[in-house]
Each structure stands twice: as structure tokens, then as C-alpha cells.
Amino acid sequence: MPDSLTFAVDVFRTVCDRLRSKAADLMLRVESGSSFEEWLHWEAYLACKLRQESYPFCEVAAKPTYASEGVATEAGDADRTFGDLRVGGPNDGADHCWLFAEIVLAGGYETADREWVKRAEAATGRLKRLGWKKSAALLIVVMVSRTNDRPASVADTPNEVWNRPALTDPCVIPLPSGGSVVVKAFDIKQNPADVLSTGCH
């Protein structure tokens, strides 16, 4: 049975594999100049839903509510009382194999400011309110680089947005027309001392 770290990494890689298989679609969405964050949410859901029986996942949910995890609504939450993805691990006694994620697109469409940083900060605040200590509360950041000079890097952004080490190595997806998409995941905790468990339970 998997531990919570292995499970979270497996879910993240499942999402990345789906996006890698959609490199041509990604390229067209980048070239459109419009945000495709919502498309990313649904691709992440489909990636896990299509693998639900073979993993097996006991649950794959799109747009899970924070209320379902016992988080009370606060002022200003009217339009974001939900996350983007919730996945439950094998129903065989595996410990803390649950994942709740928010996905933020950093760039990839025309914008003169860094509004995505504000969205990432807001998502981080919501994920902290889950209060999860051993299960995964992931902030998944998707960054776009339009050139081949160097891959996009979350390291180029303010560290206070997530203030956590990356869950695992980033996923780098080359685009057919040049440039790349880089996907990184961060496990967000109220207490930085809390970490995903390793080893069998």
C-alpha cells in the first residue's frame, strides 16, 4: 500500500502525463493569448478519472468544496469555496492517501501584471485552512515559457507565495513550436514542520 508522499507524487505525475500527451493542444492554447486555467483543471480531473480503476483511486472529484472538508466559508470566499481536484487513494487501509489540489496558471496568456501571483497566494491561504497534516494539499503551478532560452521556473517568482519545497521534480513539457510548459507542485501546510509521510504504515 502506498504512503501519502508516494500517492501524492503518483497523482501529480498522472496529471503531468496527461498534459504531456496534450502538448499540441497546450501549444495552441498558449498561442491563443487567452487564459486556459479552467482547461487545466478539467484535464487534471480527466487524467485521474481515466486511471481510477487501474490505480485504483477510491474517489476522483472535480470542483470539491472546502466545506466538504470542514472548512467554514469566510468573507470574500463567495466565488472560491471549492478546489480544483480531490483524489482518494486505494481503499485498502492506506494511511492519509488523500489529495486536495488547486491549479494556477502562471503566464501563457497576455497580461501586463502578475495577477496569477495573487491567485496563487489566495489558493495557498485556502489550502492552509484545510489544516491537513499528513494528507496532500497541493498547489500546482503551471508556467509557460514562449522561448527556448530557458525553461519557465517557479524559482523566478516570490517565494512567499508557497514557502514550501517542491513535492518532487518539475514536469517539463516541450511545445512543438518552441518554448515549454513547466509544472510544479507544492504541499501546503499550516505548520511547515508537517510533511507527507514516507514508508508503509
Side-chain angles (χ1 to χ4, degrees), residues 22-79:
K22 298 277 184 172
D25 290 352
L26 267 172
M27 177 189 70
L28 294 175
R29 290 181 182 277
V30 168
E31 291 175 349
S32 75
S34 299
S35 174
F36 52 94
E37 193 169 271
E38 185 70 12
W39 179 81
L40 291 168
H41 301 166
W42 285 105
E43 289 300 319
Y45 165 74
L46 291 172
C48 296
K49 192 66 176 176
L50 291 171
R51 198 180 171 202
Q52 184 167 358
E53 291 185 13
S54 63
Y55 186 86
F57 297 131
C58 69
E59 176 190 305
V60 177
K63 304 298 181 186
T65 64
Y66 277 89
S68 70
E69 306 306 321
V71 177
T73 300
E74 290 186 356
D77 282 350
D79 61 340

Side-chain angles (χ1 to χ4, degrees), residues 111-119 156-158:
T111 179
D113 55 25
R114 296 168 68 81
E115 285 296 317
W116 77 267
V117 175
K118 294 178 183 177
R119 295 198 312 280
D156 295 339
T157 62

